[in-house]
Amino acid sequence: MMLLDVAKIEAFYGASQALFGVDLSVAEGEAVALMGRNGMGKTTTIRAICNLTPPRAGRVKIGGVDIRGKRPHHVAKLGIGLVPEGRRCFPNLTVRENLVAAARPGTWTLERVNELFPRLEERHAQMARSLSGGEQQMLAIGRALMTSPRLLILDEATEGLAPVIRQDIWKAIRRLKEEGLSILVVDKTLSELLPVADRCVILENGKSAWSGKPADLTSELQDRYLGV
C-alpha cells in the first residue's frame, strides 16, 4: 500500500514560489531518501506534506486521505512523526517530559524509546537544553516515535553531529527500517544514507529531477544533482 502519495505539489512563501511540481511516494515499510543541494526544496516539501506550508496546487495523500484543509495536528494524527531540522525539543522540559508530552496510544512506549536510545534513559531527569546536540537529536526522534507514527520523517537526520553520535543514530534508523517502519529521510551523508534507502528522490530548483534505486545513482548523477 502507498502510505504517502505526493503529486505535482506547488508551494509558496508569500508571493515567492518554492516548489514547482514535486512528485514523491513512500510505500508501507519503505525507506525513501529525499535528496538535493541546499535550497532545492527538501524542507519545504516536508512542510507541505505536514501542511505546515500548505500546497497551493497538487495533491498530498496520507494513507489515502487527502490533507487539503486539514490543520497540521490533524495531519500528524494520520500517522506522521516529524523530526524537524534543528530538533526543536522543549528546552525547559526534562527528557522524560519531552517524550511523555508527545505520547499517543500505539506501539511505542517510553520503555521502547529508552531501549532504542539508552542515553535518554540515563538523562531522563535532565532539562533538554542541557543535552548535547546529538542527544537532542535522539530526543527529537524519540519524541516523534512516541506518537506511534506510520511514517517517520527526518529532516537533516545527522547534520553537524559528532561521528560517534551519527553512527548511533544511523544504527537506530536501520533498526526502525528492519522493524517495518516507513521512513522519509533527508541527509547529506551518502555513505550512510544510501544503504538505508530503498529509493531516492532528488529535487532541483523545487522540482523532482530524478528518482530511482540507490544502485542507479551513478557518480555522474551525484555530480550533476548533489555536487557542490
Side-chain angles (χ1 to χ4, degrees):
M1 174 183 173
M2 201 57 66
L3 178 56
L4 174 66
D5 180 20
V6 176
K8 296 178 174 55
I9 59 170
E10 298 179 9
F12 292 72
Y13 293 106
S16 178
Q17 187 168 359
L19 300 182
F20 297 83
V22 172
D23 297 294
L24 172 68
S25 63
V26 182
E28 293 276 4
E30 186 179 36
V32 174
L34 182 59
M35 307 166 71
R37 297 184 184 91
N38 290 340
M40 293 299 169
K42 302 185 297 297
T43 294
T44 303
T45 297
I46 289 172
R47 289 182 59 85
I49 290 168
C50 298
N51 230 17
L52 294 166
T53 301
R56 293 193 193 175
R59 181 190 71 236
V60 178
K61 288 187 175 182
I62 299 170
V65 178
D66 196 314
I67 70 164
R68 278 178 294 187
K70 295 186 180 297
R71 298 180 66 84
H73 65 277
H74 291 142
V75 175
K77 287 181 179 180
L78 294 175
I80 301 295
L82 174 62
V83 183
E85 185 178 14
R87 299 148 199 153
R88 301 184 189 177
C89 302
F90 300 115
N92 296 323
L93 297 182
T94 66
V95 168
R96 187 180 190 280
E97 288 168 343
N98 265 273
L99 295 171
V100 171
R104 288 207 297 264
T107 57
W108 280 91
T109 62
L110 194 61
E111 291 72 26
R112 281 194 74 190
V113 170
N114 287 336
E115 196 268 330
L116 184 67
F117 293 122
R119 285 171 182 256
L120 297 183
E121 184 174 19
E122 295 167 5
R123 291 157 175 74
H124 72 99
Q126 282 186 229
M127 292 294 183
R129 65 172 177 266
S130 70
L131 301 179
S132 70
E135 290 164 350
Q136 288 186 22
Q137 185 71 337
M138 292 177 182
L139 179 56
I141 295 171
R143 182 181 59 187
L145 291 172
M146 286 292 287
T147 69
S148 295
R150 300 171 66 191
L151 173 65
L152 181 66
I153 301 178
L154 302 111
D155 192 1
E156 298 292 358
T158 63
E159 184 178 33
L161 303 182
V164 65
I165 298 294
R166 286 206 307 268
Q167 291 175 12
D168 288 344
I169 289 176
W170 282 116
K171 180 180 178 181
I173 292 171
R174 288 193 295 270
R175 175 174 167 181
L176 294 172
K177 180 188 174 183
E178 290 168 0
E179 292 179 359
L181 183 62
S182 301
I183 300 172
L184 176 64
V185 57
V186 173
D187 200 271
K188 296 183 180 69
T189 314
L190 297 187
S191 61
E192 298 285 359
L193 178 60
L194 294 181
V196 170
D198 296 301
R199 287 189 300 112
C200 304
V201 175
I202 297 178
L203 302 186
E204 186 172 48
N205 297 322
K207 298 179 181 179
S208 298
W210 184 88
S211 63
K213 296 181 179 180
D216 298 327
L217 186 58
T218 64
S219 57
E220 179 183 348
L221 288 169
Q222 291 182 35
D223 290 341
R224 182 188 308 172
Y225 294 120
L226 306 175
V228 177

